[in-house]
Amino acid sequence: METLENTVEYTVVPSSRAMVSAPQALVVFERNLGGAMEQRIILPNDTAVRGDNVMHIRAQTSRSAELNSFDFDEIAARFGAMPAPFERVNASSLQSGTDSLGTYVYARETVGANTLCVLVLRRLGVGARPLPRGTQALDVVMRNCVAGSMEQALAPMSDRSLGVTGAQGTVYTMSPHAAPRG
C-alpha cells in the first residue's frame, strides 16, 4: 500500500463523482490504490490561513485498513502530515463529537481575531450510510478554516453533508419512502 501511495497520482474527476456531498467543491481529485479509492475534495478557503481546506476520503476495504480500529497515528501517516495550523496535534489533544452518523474526533484552532480552523477525523461504516461497492468504511479527514462559527467550520463534515448523496448538492434520506430531513 505504501508503494502505491507514493507512486499513484491523482487525476481530476467531475464533482458529481465525489463520494460525499460537497456542493462547494472547487475541484475533486481521485486515485485508485489497488482497491482502495481515495479522493481529495478541495473546498474554498476565504481566510489568510495557509494551505487548502480539504476533505481527504479513502474508501477502505478489509485489504487496505484494519477496520476494527481507528488509530490516529495510522490515519496521520496514511493521509500525510497534518495540515497547518495542526502540525503539532496528537491523539490526546482531540475532542469528540457525535451526530446521527456516529462519532468523530476533532481539533480546533483559533487564528487571529475571527478565523476558526478545525481538523476532523471520522470513519463512516456500513451502518452509517451506503458505501461504494466493495467498501467497508469511508475514512474522512478534513481541514476547514472559516471566518465564522464552529458550526460553519464543521458543516462539510456534518451528518447532513455526509449523508446519502445523489446529484451534486442533493442529500437524500436512507429510504425513498421516508420524509425529508430538515
Side-chain angles (χ1 to χ4, degrees):
M1 183 60 73
E2 187 175 329
T3 301
L4 291 171
E5 291 171 338
N6 292 323
T7 58
V8 176
E9 294 185 16
Y10 285 96
T11 59
V12 176
V13 297
S15 58
S16 61
R17 285 205 15 205
M19 289 185 222
V20 298
S21 176
Q24 293 184 344
L26 300 175
V27 67
V28 177
F29 296 100
E30 182 177 274
R31 67 181 179 174
N32 186 336
L33 299 173
M37 292 300 294
E38 193 171 77
Q39 289 184 343
R40 286 186 186 221
I41 301 171
I42 308 300
L43 304 171
N45 183 0
D46 298 325
T47 70
V49 178
R50 68 180 163 86
D52 291 322
N53 284 341
V54 63
M55 292 181 74
H56 193 147
I57 305 163
R58 183 177 285 180
Q60 300 286 20
T61 65
S62 57
R63 292 181 331 153
S64 64
E66 174 57 49
L67 295 171
N68 294 327
S69 65
F70 189 70
D71 180 82
F72 176 80
D73 294 327
E74 176 192 340
I75 298 294
R78 187 175 338 120
F79 288 102
M82 291 293 118
F86 299 102
E87 298 92 348
R88 292 187 307 264
V89 73
N90 58 45
S92 65
S93 63
L94 297 173
Q95 301 174 45
S96 64
T98 188
D99 59 24
S100 66
L101 296 178
T103 60
Y104 56 91
V105 293
Y106 68 97
R108 63 180 286 161
E109 189 75 38
T110 303
V111 180
N114 67 343
T115 300
L116 176 66
C117 295
V118 294
L119 175 71
V120 185
L121 297 88
R122 88 181 304 165
R123 174 170 280 167
L124 298 169
V126 174
R129 56 164 282 159
L131 300 174
R133 180 174 292 149
T135 301
Q136 276 104 33
L138 289 181
D139 284 351
V140 187
V141 176
M142 178 187 74
R143 193 289 304 252
N144 195 29
C145 295
V146 299
S149 68
M150 183 70 164
E151 183 177 293
Q152 290 169 312
L154 289 173
M157 219 32 161
S158 70
D159 53 357
R160 182 157 178 87
S161 292
L162 296 178
V164 181
T165 61
Q168 181 179 353
T170 305
V171 177
Y172 295 99
T173 57
M174 295 291 280
S175 165
H177 306 292
R181 292 181 7 199

